[in-house]
Amino acid sequence: MIINIKELAQQTKDIRVLYVEDEESVREQTLMILEMLFSSIDSAFDGEDGWQKYQKSSYDIVFTDISMPRMDGLELIRHIKEQDPMQKVAIISAYNTADYLLQAIELGADAFILKPINMDKMMLSIKKLSDGIVAAKFMENYNQQLQDEVEEKTKIIRKQAIIDKLTGLQNRFALNTMLDNLEKEMSLILVNIDNFDSINTIYGYDNGNKVIQSLAKLIAKNMPKNSELYYIGSDEFCIVAQEIDGKKIKRYAQDLQAVVANSFVELDGNNLKGTVTISISQGRENLLKYAHIALKEAKNKGKNRIEFYVKELNVEKLQRQIQEYSPIIRQAIESGNILPYFQPIVDNFTHKITKYECLARIEDGDQVYSPYYFIDIAKMIGLVSEITKIMIDKSFKMFSGNDYEFSINITEVDLNDEYLYDYFKEKLQEYNIDVSRVILEVLEGVSAHGLSNSLEQLKRLKSFGFTLAIDDFGTQNSNFERVNNMNVDFIKIDGGFVKNMAIDEKSYSIVKTISEFSKSIGAKVIAEYVHDEETQKKVEELGIEYSQGYYFSEPKRDLD
């Protein structure tokens, strides 16, 4: 095979070579050949010199003679291969015995060129060596290119992972990462857009995004020193500042609220202004969690507020109550310890007990829990309907053996779950109860702002024969017209007014007004919380038909 030297030289020009030969004349002659192909060549006069040069530089090919003083070629190859097994090594030697060839192969020599040098054979050996080197360099460059591309894409992905596309700000992931590595106390300022859901509903989500982008720019222009801004999703921004002076942070929050209130975003030709509620937590641990607790506390009080996190906020108390009472409620349901207690309702004209209210209790050993402790939590964990069903079943069973009327408390949750009509119908049949004996007590809020579906259910239940009572009337959004339209049978005046009517003229006046209204719509009145004789006299003085309270009896497991 004839090798084109010019083409080969083009391929080998960037290959670095070390040539080791102890005979000067041979070395000079061979270098003349090698210089035709390689532009970078180092030479050494024996194996020891070659080994020193090899350790100081990197080479693509090492050409070496075998027989040399101080260190022969085979020993040199052994050292080289121990350091770099992939190093290309070619032997140029007059020794062509089988023993030398075998040793060269065992040491990993890549080529064996005999002296005197045959140009064609030498060119062929060099081409084979250079082909492998060029291919290896190509793969190395290709792999490096791939690695560079991977690193670049990784940078992009990392950036995308921590940067929010809508605002260009760092996102929740970036915030959490930063908070996980805090080394000193910081202030976290949580900025929440008031009524953002309404903005999305009225103006659409695209315009809602404009509000987010506008606020992001506004906050970014009004940042505390040494702070970072994050958009953590929905309607919330977060600022982490090095400043921990509470007064300075509060002033900043007040200034930011003022800036927001005085700015506007143009949406569909309307200049929309808004407010923000701000919560603040300080320290190193659980900053975002505490800020959200403080935000919840602030939202419970209104909007456009500033709230610092402190221990024992109402939200945290509620969380502890949920943790404490959730297992008690679940266990009571499973074990049958949800029980009805019965409080008598007295006819003020006959002074006899004619009705009972069925009140839920949880018995846990010697402890008895009233709904004050568990009913709100039961709503939060989705167990109110289960409790109501138990109360209906056990109360119906109790009153199946007598003729008393009795009332069951119904919540809006029960109405939303839409099971009452069928469940009541089933239990009326099971316990042979006359439907006219059953009074359904609903809170005033259902009548004032309940869903239309809830009101339709109540009307259906009433048309079936149930008696309807409004409980705690006067405490919420009293809507006299709505109550009148519901055609209720009883109105139970909130006990907060009744219990004070003997000593407080305003309470007496309110009870009187509600009583007169009730009579005007044909509803009878039940006064709750009648706790002493003086209060009962005032109740009778107003001609109120029924009384209920500790003056007569506390709620009990059995009927009087």
Side-chain angles (χ1 to χ4, degrees):
M1 179 179 178
I2 305 299
I3 303 298
N4 186 311
I5 295 178
K6 288 185 178 180
E7 290 181 0
L8 182 58
Q10 187 66 29
Q11 178 176 303
T12 59
K13 64 179 180 179
D14 294 326
I15 292 177
R16 298 198 69 219
V17 168
L18 172 63
Y19 174 47
V20 185
E21 171 62 59
D22 62 321
E23 292 187 22
E24 183 177 358
S25 60
V26 175
R27 186 169 63 248
E28 290 177 354
Q29 291 176 4
T30 306
L31 280 172
M32 291 176 63
I33 298 172
L34 295 176
E35 286 172 351
M36 295 169 58
L37 301 173
F38 305 106
S39 57
S40 177
I41 304 174
D42 287 341
S43 63
F45 54 81
D46 63 16
E48 183 65 34
D49 184 38
W51 175 237
Q52 291 178 5
K53 282 184 168 63
Y54 183 83
Q55 289 177 297
K56 295 177 182 178
S57 300
S58 61
Y59 301 97
D60 297 304
I61 304 174
V62 176
F63 294 96
T64 182
D65 189 15
I66 291 180
S67 178
M68 294 180 292
R70 296 199 297 172
M71 181 187 293
D72 66 21
L74 295 177
E75 185 66 20
L76 174 62
I77 293 173
R78 181 178 293 108
H79 285 309
I80 289 173
K81 288 292 185 175
E82 286 176 354
Q83 180 167 316
D84 182 5
M86 303 305 294
Q87 175 67 60
K88 298 291 185 182
V89 179
I91 294 174
I92 302 178
S93 175
Y95 293 92
N96 62 349
T97 64
D99 183 54
Y100 280 116
L101 289 172
L102 182 60
Q103 288 186 64
I105 292 170
E106 288 177 348
L107 290 172
D110 299 279
F112 201 106
I113 302 170
L114 288 174
K115 296 178 183 176
I117 295 173
N118 180 296
M119 282 293 293
D120 289 337
K121 290 183 177 179
M122 184 174 185
M123 292 298 120
L124 183 60
S125 295
I126 290 174
K127 185 174 190 314
K128 289 180 179 178
L129 290 170
S130 65
D131 284 346
I133 292 168
V134 169
K137 286 190 173 184
F138 174 80
M139 288 303 300
E140 183 180 351
N141 291 334
Y142 179 73
N143 289 335
Q144 184 62 48
Q145 183 179 353
L146 285 179
Q147 184 177 340
D148 292 343
E149 289 180 4
V150 169
E151 288 178 358
E152 183 62 29
K153 289 180 180 179
T154 300
K155 289 179 182 178
I156 295 172
I157 291 171
R158 284 176 180 170
K159 183 177 180 181
Q160 290 174 342
I162 64 172
I163 299 298
D164 172 67
K165 289 183 179 181
L166 178 64
T167 61
L169 299 176
Q170 296 181 84
N171 61 16
R172 182 184 287 268
F173 177 79
L175 173 64
N176 288 333
T177 302
M178 187 275 295
L179 293 177
D180 287 341
N181 295 282
L182 279 185
E183 296 181 355
K184 61 181 180 179
E185 292 189 345
M186 305 283 274
S187 294
L188 189 148
I189 305 163
L190 194 61
V191 182
N192 181 273
I193 305 172
D194 293 325
N195 302 322
F196 187 65
D197 285 344
S198 297
I199 294 173
N200 280 330
T201 301
I202 296 170
Y203 295 97
Y205 288 98
D206 289 342
N207 281 319
N209 288 341
K210 290 182 181 179
V211 172
I212 294 293
Q213 291 170 329
S214 177
L215 187 58
K217 293 176 182 178
L218 191 64
I219 298 175
K221 291 180 181 178
N222 296 274
M223 294 279 287
K225 291 182 180 179
N226 301 316
S227 62
E228 293 188 47
L229 176 61
Y230 302 81
Y231 173 59
I232 58 176
S234 186
D235 52 1
E236 290 183 348
F237 293 86
C238 185
I239 302 163
V240 179
Q242 293 185 20
E243 179 62 68
I244 58 172
D245 185 316
K247 291 182 179 179
K248 291 182 180 179
I249 290 296
K250 185 174 183 178
R251 280 199 297 272
Y252 165 73
Q254 291 170 334
D255 291 343
L256 180 60
Q257 283 185 325
V259 168
V260 173
N262 291 323
S263 303
F264 65 84
V265 181
E266 186 174 329
L267 301 180
D268 296 336
N270 298 310
N271 293 334
L272 177 68
K273 289 189 175 184
T275 58
V276 292
T277 294
I278 297 175
S279 62
I280 301 161
S281 62
Q282 295 180 299
R284 285 183 58 188
E285 303 292 333
N286 300 315
L287 289 180
L288 187 58
K289 170 186 172 182
Y290 291 154
H292 273 118
I293 291 172
L295 180 67
K296 181 70 174 177
E297 189 79 9
K299 290 288 188 177
N300 288 341
K301 296 175 182 177
K303 61 181 182 179
N304 197 30
R305 302 184 66 87
I306 298 172
E307 188 81 35
F308 276 82
Y309 170 80
V310 293
K311 290 184 177 179
E312 300 301 318
L313 286 174
N314 289 334
V315 172
E316 284 188 301
K317 291 178 183 177
L318 177 59
Q319 289 175 343
R320 284 197 300 274
Q321 288 174 343
I322 292 172
Q323 293 171 359
E324 178 183 356
Y325 284 101
S326 290
I328 294 174
I329 296 168
R330 295 183 191 278
Q331 179 61 29
I333 291 173
E334 291 175 6
S335 61
N337 288 331
I338 302 287
L339 300 170
Y341 274 51
F342 309 102
Q343 187 172 37
I345 299 172
V346 175
D347 186 317
N348 287 329
F349 298 105
T350 66
H351 302 290
K352 292 181 179 181
I353 297 172
T354 59
K355 318 176 196 303
Y356 284 89
E357 180 178 2
C358 305
L359 300 164
R361 296 290 187 269
I362 289 178
E363 288 190 357
D364 184 18
D366 295 332
Q367 183 71 45
V368 178
Y369 298 99
S370 73
Y372 172 82
Y373 293 98
F374 66 83
I375 200 66
D376 286 338
I377 294 170
K379 289 179 182 177
M380 293 178 189
I381 62 177
L383 293 177
V384 164
S385 294
E386 292 300 314
I387 293 174
T388 302
K389 288 178 182 179
I390 292 171
M391 286 294 296
I392 292 171
D393 182 75
K394 292 186 176 182
S395 298
F396 274 38
K397 184 176 181 180
M398 172 62 76
F399 287 95
S400 63
N402 57 63
D403 295 325
Y404 288 114
E405 295 180 7
F406 60 98
S407 62
I408 302 286
N409 287 282
I410 302 301
T411 70
E412 192 156 6
V413 174
D414 298 307
L415 293 166
N416 290 341
D417 287 348
E418 299 187 28
Y419 70 89
L420 287 172
Y421 185 86
D422 291 335
Y423 192 76
F424 270 126
K425 192 173 180 181
E426 174 188 334
K427 293 302 172 181
L428 287 170
Q429 184 175 356
E430 179 180 350
Y431 291 106
N432 194 27
I433 299 286
D434 187 337
V435 67
S436 64
R437 293 172 55 201
V438 184
I439 305 167
L440 305 183
E441 289 194 25
V442 296
L443 289 174
E444 177 191 342
V446 175
S447 67
H449 48 71
L451 297 174
S452 59
N453 184 46
S454 298
L455 298 177
E456 289 301 319
Q457 287 184 73
L458 290 174
K459 289 180 180 179
R460 186 184 183 196
L461 289 166
K462 182 169 175 58
S463 66
F464 187 74
F466 288 99
T467 304
L468 188 61
I470 296 296
D471 195 14
D472 292 344
F473 190 80
T475 57
Q476 300 183 42
N477 302 320
S478 300
N479 190 319
F480 291 91
E481 181 180 0
R482 182 75 67 87
V483 171
N484 182 35
N485 292 337
M486 287 177 65
N487 191 26
V488 297
D489 302 283
F490 295 98
I491 289 181
K492 300 186 76 172
I493 303 175
D494 180 70
F497 301 122
V498 174
K499 69 180 181 180
N500 294 320
M501 63 183 295
I503 57 174
D504 180 60
E505 291 184 3
K506 286 186 177 180
S507 294
Y508 180 87
S509 178
I510 291 171
V511 172
K512 181 181 179 182
T513 299
I514 295 174
S515 177
E516 290 173 350
F517 163 73
S518 302
K519 291 175 183 178
S520 72
I521 64 171
K524 295 180 180 180
V525 178
I526 301 173
E528 295 187 289
Y529 282 63
V530 177
H531 61 287
D532 58 23
E533 184 178 358
E534 290 301 314
T535 303
Q536 176 61 14
K537 286 181 180 179
K538 291 292 185 181
V539 168
E540 292 181 3
E541 180 182 300
L542 291 175
I544 292 174
E545 290 87 351
Y546 298 96
S547 291
Q548 178 182 350
Y550 276 45
Y551 177 62
F552 303 101
S553 174
E554 63 182 77
K556 297 178 181 179
R557 282 283 304 272
D558 299 313
L559 304 181
D560 291 333

